[in-house]
Amino acid sequence: MFKRILIANRGEIALRIIRTCKRLNIETVVVYSQADKDAVYLKLADRAICIGPGPAKASYLKVNTIIAAAEIGDVEAVHPGYGFLSENAHFAEVCRACKITFIGPPTQVIETLGNKISARQLAKAAGVPTVPGSEGALSNVEEALAISQKIGYPVLLKAAAGGGGRGMRICHNDASLRMYFTQASNEAEVAFGDGTVYLEKYIESARHIEVQILADEHGNVIHLGERDCTIQRRNQKLIEESPSLAPGFGKRERYDIQVAAVRLMKTAKYANAGTVEFIYDIKAGKFYFMEVNTRLQVEHPVTEMVTGLDLVEEQLRVASGEPLRFRQKDIQFLGHAIECRINAEDPRNGFMPSPGKIGMFLPPAGNNIRMDTHMYAGYTVPPNYDSLLGKLIVHGLTRKEALLRMRFALDQMVLEGVANTASFLREILQDANFVAGSYDTSFVNKRVGPT
Ligand code: ADP
Ligand code: ADP
Ligand code: MG
């Protein structure tokens, strides 16, 4: 196991990684930008190194500076967290060239799976169903029109390099496809530095179901069950749970999706933790591969709650060369877990980001309640990064019990000073359709409009 690692991230996930390292007696070096100089977790790390000014481009995304910090900190490995450089194959490669272990899959695997088109091709090769759509990149609008007429509207234009719920356009007919084609490609070029777009049938009533994978460098691949992340706004997850109790998603479907995810990751020669995301067509009762996230995910705690495992610990073990400690049959699933993302966004004002100074803050507590957050009373949320303030996770023996516990946990939480999504989440948790489990990915948009 490693003696010292560098955490190339910030916020709640930096703190969450430090916690596991402390428990395992691994020293931590954390990097921070000037905007994060007052982050309280900096004191928990063994060493904190400033890597530049607030804008991520000048700090958390600066490969050479982070590598320099790793050299100065004399670490053996780098944990990239999520977002920032976590899915950047170049960064992973530079780490390896500098004899620093990148805590994630091999560079080649990040490259193949990081591009949604090559990932789709790999899924097909592994015999995993993909959403009907274009074979690969679309070279012109005529090609897009021909495919759409064949598979039928609505279709979804997607950026091959997309992420974070961005770079997607629903097209309902030839005219809107013509209009969006260039727009989508230009936007992808600006946002991701790659204007390549492809096309999928748009599944109108769908659930987002993803499978957590754990794999080692010796060819062993297991799954840790699925998560349902259907409650989304602008294709970004707000509430996640495990297991998925989607209508029609029974024992058979659960088994099939898990087996498909494992097969795909075996074909990809995957190592470390990763997630295979699927879109589940409720009407057809069918699931299709969507993408792979080659990193730890924001919502990994719900899986930790139902399996009793620490995913960061398993990541560290695998990255240090250990074989998996568990076979598939050793993994036990207990009860139901739910996570709510608390964002500094104003639900009454189109979910505008609202950085600023936190006033009172009292995190909820109690049996089977976990809150992962870096905030504290008096903390100033910087405007430079995404708006995630923390994640509230609860566990119950049944979904009903977990829902009640989540409501009570949200009621207990005191969070003042910045507009945030807690009240909005509370409303969703009271919604009859949400409670009954009858909803799809359009649930939030139908409530608040497609802002
Ligand atoms: P998860 O799949 O773990 O739920 P998200 O989609 O919420 O992850 O993304 C995790 C974080 O990474 C978010 O803060 C999101 O804004 C950011 N992110 C993910 N992909 C990209 C990308 N390609 N470019 C920029 N930010 C991204
Ligand atoms: P990202 O990399 O931004 O996470 P994904 O491909 O995972 O992109 O898609 C994000 C979300 O967009 C999904 O969770 C789902 O809600 C929606 N989505 C993606 N593809 C489709 C599709 N073919 N049909 C319907 N919804 C889709
Ligand atoms: Mg996704």
Side-chain angles (χ1 to χ4, degrees):
M1 182 53 93
F2 306 116
K3 282 213 254 333
R4 191 180 307 122
I5 70 159
L6 180 122
I7 299 166
N9 214 298
R10 63 174 300 279
E12 70 86 19
I13 195 64
L15 174 56
R16 189 256 166 277
I17 297 164
I18 293 173
R19 285 187 174 130
T20 293
C21 291
K22 287 271 173 199
R23 188 168 61 71
L24 299 176
N25 219 5
I26 298 169
E27 288 180 25
T28 48
V29 176
V30 68
V31 293
Y32 67 98
S33 73
Q34 280 156 15
D36 281 331
K37 68 177 173 24
D38 297 321
V40 86
Y41 58 82
L42 300 183
K43 298 189 186 82
L44 288 176
D46 294 278
R47 191 165 179 183
I49 299 178
C50 184
I51 48 166
K57 276 204 169 119
S59 47
Y60 297 108
L61 290 174
K62 246 184 147 174
V63 174
N64 55 352
T65 316
I66 292 174
I67 295 291
E71 304 264 334
I72 292 165
D74 193 21
V75 301
E76 296 160 83
V78 171
H79 196 305
Y82 55 70
F84 297 123
L85 296 172
S86 61
E87 297 184 273
N88 185 309
H90 168 69
F91 178 61
E93 194 47 39
V94 175
C95 286
R96 283 182 182 123
C98 296
K99 305 265 185 293
I100 301 164
T101 303
F102 176 81
I103 301 171
T107 309
Q108 186 57 53
V109 174
I110 302 178
E111 251 162 29
T112 307
L113 296 179
N115 181 294
K116 291 187 184 184
I117 293 174
S118 52
R120 227 167 108 83
Q121 279 154 356
L122 188 128
K124 280 186 190 162
V128 172
T130 53
V131 192
S134 58
E135 262 314 309
L138 294 165
S139 34
N140 54 57
V141 71
E142 301 307 324
E143 194 186 344
L145 286 164
I147 296 164
S148 303
Q149 282 153 10
K150 205 173 104 208
I151 63 173
Y153 287 98
V155 298
L156 190 62
L157 275 175
K158 297 176 81 167
R166 292 174 308 145
M168 276 175 263
R169 279 279 192 293
I170 305 172
C171 309
H172 288 278
N173 47 48
D174 285 0
S176 65
L177 179 56
R178 275 187 194 282
M179 188 169 82
Y180 286 140
F181 186 81
T182 326
Q183 216 181 69
S185 173
N186 289 346
E187 266 184 34
E189 181 68 50
V190 173
F192 312 109
D194 176 359
T196 311
V197 291
Y198 69 108
L199 184 154
E200 278 179 7
K201 172 114 189 133
Y202 180 69
I203 312 288
E204 290 188 86
S205 186
R207 302 276 286 222
H208 172 116
I209 302 177
E210 59 185 35
V211 179
Q212 176 67 53
I213 294 291
L214 211 51
D216 65 20
E217 291 168 0
H218 313 279
N220 303 300
V221 182
I222 62 170
H223 71 80
L224 302 181
E226 82 282 359
R227 293 183 289 256
D228 191 311
C229 315
T230 299
I231 301 296
Q232 307 180 346
R233 189 186 150 266
R234 286 185 162 178
N235 302 313
Q236 280 194 20
K237 302 156 186 168
L238 293 178
I239 300 179
E240 303 100 341
E241 43 190 297
S242 183
S244 171
L245 300 181
F249 189 77
K251 259 193 175 156
R252 176 78 225 201
E253 289 76 14
R254 172 168 297 116
Y255 177 79
D256 287 348
I257 210 170
Q258 292 169 344
V259 168
V262 169
R263 196 164 60 230
L264 190 152
M265 295 298 242
K266 276 195 173 149
T267 306
K269 298 202 170 8
Y270 201 85
N272 217 287
T275 300
V276 187
E277 295 190 336
F278 296 92
I279 190 101
Y280 177 70
D281 184 335
I282 300 175
K283 286 196 196 102
K286 281 188 189 156
F287 63 80
Y288 304 99
F289 167 78
M290 222 164 25
E291 66 155 344
V292 177
N293 289 142
T294 58
R295 56 171 165 86
L296 189 67
Q297 264 177 298
V298 175
E299 60 274 20
H300 75 277
V302 293
T303 298
E304 297 186 324
M305 288 289 221
V306 295
T307 60
L309 297 177
D310 177 336
L311 283 182
V312 173
E313 173 174 2
E314 302 313 322
Q315 283 193 294
L316 291 164
R317 287 183 179 280
V318 167
S320 71
E322 285 182 33
L324 285 182
R325 301 190 288 165
F326 312 96
R327 288 169 194 271
Q328 191 62 59
K329 64 175 171 34
D330 300 327
I331 306 296
Q332 304 266 353
F333 300 94
L334 179 71
H336 198 95
I338 306 178
E339 173 181 280
C340 281
R341 299 193 190 190
I342 317 283
N343 294 331
E345 289 169 6
D346 189 353
R348 280 163 307 181
N349 188 11
F351 291 83
M352 275 271 282
S354 19
K357 191 170 174 177
I358 309 272
M360 281 269 281
F361 174 56
L362 184 67
N367 276 357
N368 302 314
I369 296 176
R370 163 175 170 185
M371 184 145 193
D372 280 18
T373 181
H374 58 297
M375 72 179 146
Y376 54 90
Y379 168 68
T380 299
V381 182
N384 311 75
Y385 313 108
D386 77 55
S387 55
L388 185 70
L389 288 174
K391 307 178 314 205
L392 179 54
I393 311 108
V394 303
H395 185 250
L397 284 178
T398 59
R399 182 171 189 261
K400 197 174 163 199
E401 193 186 308
L403 282 174
L404 282 170
R405 185 164 279 134
M406 181 59 92
R407 279 192 218 157
F408 175 55
L410 280 169
D411 287 344
Q412 272 188 71
M413 186 175 73
V414 180
L415 172 52
E416 293 171 356
V418 297
N420 65 80
T421 49
S423 57
F424 182 71
L425 292 163
R426 228 177 254 129
E427 278 171 32
I428 294 181
L429 292 167
Q430 308 275 4
D431 182 284
N433 288 324
F434 178 72
V435 172
S438 52
Y439 54 89
D440 58 28
T441 48
S442 66
F443 178 88
V444 174
N445 277 359
K446 281 184 184 145
R447 279 185 84 93
V448 301
T451 47

